Amino acid sequence: DVSAEPPRPIYYGDSGGRLLSAEQVYQETPNGTLRRDFMMRIVDRDWRLEILQPTNSAFAFSSSWWLNQTLVQLLALGLALTLMIAFERRMAMREMEAQISVLSRRFQEFDRDADRDDQGDSSELLPARPTVSAITLDIELTRRDGLLDDAFRSGAFKQHYEPVVHLATGRIIGFESLLRWPEAPELFTAPQIIDWAERAELIHVLTLDALREAIELVELWGASASASGQPVPWVSINVSPDDVGKPAFIEQMLDLFRRHPMARNQIKLEITEGVLVRDFKGVAQRLRSMRAEGIGIALDDFGTGYSSLSYLHQLPVDSIKIDRSFISSLTSERRGRDIVQATVELGRRLHIEVVAEGVEDLHTIGLLRRYGCHAGQGYLFSRARPAMVIDEWVRTHKRFDIA
């Protein structure tokens, strides 16, 4: 750093030994620049040239800041492009980790060079070293997506079924099909799996798989029920906004039902308000076409949306499921009880089946019976169980003791 040295003259001459110029280097000025004077003799005349330039410390601060910012931007761009074009998520993760490692080393080398060049307190002017901790969540998301990709390809996802129980008799009247990963190496909730499936554009595949399994079950139960005279439980399938938003996918579902006409009356499609907000008119038309084929439509999480009553008026709904947030407060809040009672009465007047979600104690069952709600589901009865278990329940006409 020449600013840390005493002034010294530097001479420039030609091959004949004649002096062309003399450069005098001065100390750093208070405003962070270095003044350099050149005394030159050209054509027998003396010339003085004064140049002001940033000192090493000022240059180190400026270059360090801009280089760090540039590298951070390049890192973000590289990660985005990697995520967009990588077909294999695991390969994308490895590529990102390699980029991060290289850029981290460059940051460290750059900062070491800057520290080596700076003198005195000038190093304090350097901005904080950029870190890669900001992208930790992206790496974690990519890692978990890789696990989910592997699970999908290996067939590790399974449908489990939560029973819906007649509150007066304890008899199973239906099941809700729920996606599960039984052997997951770490916790994955159903919403996390669905979110991944939508981003990976695999949600339609999973929905059709769930529908095929449900059709197979109700057809088996129908064959055995014909001999015993017992009613066949229905199975409800959750459909996502992406599912209902694509007419071609709806046609695939309808084609599946046309090939299995005996099953269509035992299958329900569960929708939430999120399904309807994107294209209400188009979705309503598709749902009507499915209801015309005999497929049941259930409005899930009823009461939590802004337009639940409006949907009852405009959609071909034959079942509503009261959200568990209302059921959980049934025994402790008068307002919650009034809402549930009014919802049950509304369903009765509209000839719509009402199912209470999140039933967890006998006191709640007592209140629901008093209000006229005839069906419920929740941990009081059972968590979602594999197909093999519920098939045995149906064949043995299992009843839950809720007296």
Side-chain angles (χ1 to χ4, degrees), residues 16 24 212 267:
Q24 182 70 39
R212 292 188 186 97
I267 299 294

Side-chain angles (χ1 to χ4, degrees), residues 271-319:
I271 61 173
T272 62
E273 187 169 308
V275 171
L276 305 168
V277 295
R278 296 185 179 181
D279 175 23
F280 179 81
K281 185 177 180 180
V283 169
Q285 181 178 356
R286 293 169 205 134
L287 292 177
R288 291 190 191 99
S289 66
M290 303 195 79
R291 189 71 189 96
E293 295 284 341
I295 304 159
I297 306 295
L299 185 57
D300 197 10
D301 301 334
F302 184 80
T304 59
Y306 294 105
S307 308
S308 295
L309 290 177
S310 176
Y311 294 147
L312 286 183
H313 174 65
Q314 300 180 65
L315 295 175
V317 174
D318 66 339
S319 177

Side-chain angles (χ1 to χ4, degrees), residues 117-323:
D117 291 338
D118 290 334
Q119 299 284 332
D121 294 335
S122 60
S123 61
E124 297 178 0
L125 298 174
L126 289 174
R129 290 187 177 95
T131 67
V132 295
S133 59
I135 60 172
T136 300
L137 291 179
D138 290 334
I139 296 175
E140 176 65 10
L141 177 63
T142 303
R143 183 188 68 81
R144 289 172 67 86
D145 282 358
L147 294 175
L148 291 166
D149 285 339
D150 291 342
F152 172 76
R153 291 186 176 88
S154 64
F157 294 136
K158 305 295 181 183
Q159 295 297 324
H160 284 196
Y161 300 86
E162 184 175 336
V164 179
V165 178
H166 191 268
L167 296 182
T169 64
R171 177 175 58 86
I172 297 174
I173 62 172
F175 295 93
E176 180 180 357
S177 178
L178 299 167
L179 185 65
R180 295 289 187 267
W181 183 6
E183 305 298 328
E186 56 191 82
L187 178 63
F188 284 89
T189 64
Q192 289 173 333
I193 298 176
I194 297 303
D195 174 69
W196 160 82
E198 290 179 342
R199 288 186 287 107
E201 298 184 353
L202 294 172
I203 189 65
H204 306 320
V205 178
L206 294 175
T207 302
L208 286 175
D209 287 346
L211 184 57
R212 292 188 186 97
E213 183 171 303
I215 288 175
E216 181 180 353
L217 284 172
V218 297
E219 285 183 336
L220 288 173
W221 298 337
S224 61
S226 60
S228 64
Q230 294 291 329
V232 178
W234 47 259
V235 177
S236 65
I237 308 293
N238 290 280
V239 293
S240 75
D242 284 355
D243 289 332
V244 184
K246 295 188 182 299
F249 178 74
I250 296 297
E251 187 58 35
Q252 283 182 285
M253 296 181 69
L254 287 173
D255 181 65
L256 192 57
F257 282 117
R258 294 184 187 112
R259 288 187 276 116
H260 300 272
M262 300 300 295
R264 66 179 68 181
N265 293 325
Q266 301 305 128
I267 299 294
K268 295 178 182 288
L269 301 181
E270 290 197 18
I271 61 173
T272 62
E273 187 169 308
V275 171
L276 305 168
V277 295
R278 296 185 179 181
D279 175 23
F280 179 81
K281 185 177 180 180
V283 169
Q285 181 178 356
R286 293 169 205 134
L287 292 177
R288 291 190 191 99
S289 66
M290 303 195 79
R291 189 71 189 96
E293 295 284 341
I295 304 159
I297 306 295
L299 185 57
D300 197 10
D301 301 334
F302 184 80
T304 59
Y306 294 105
S307 308
S308 295
L309 290 177
S310 176
Y311 294 147
L312 286 183
H313 174 65
Q314 300 180 65
L315 295 175
V317 174
D318 66 339
S319 177
I320 57 177
K321 304 184 77 172
I322 305 176
D323 186 71

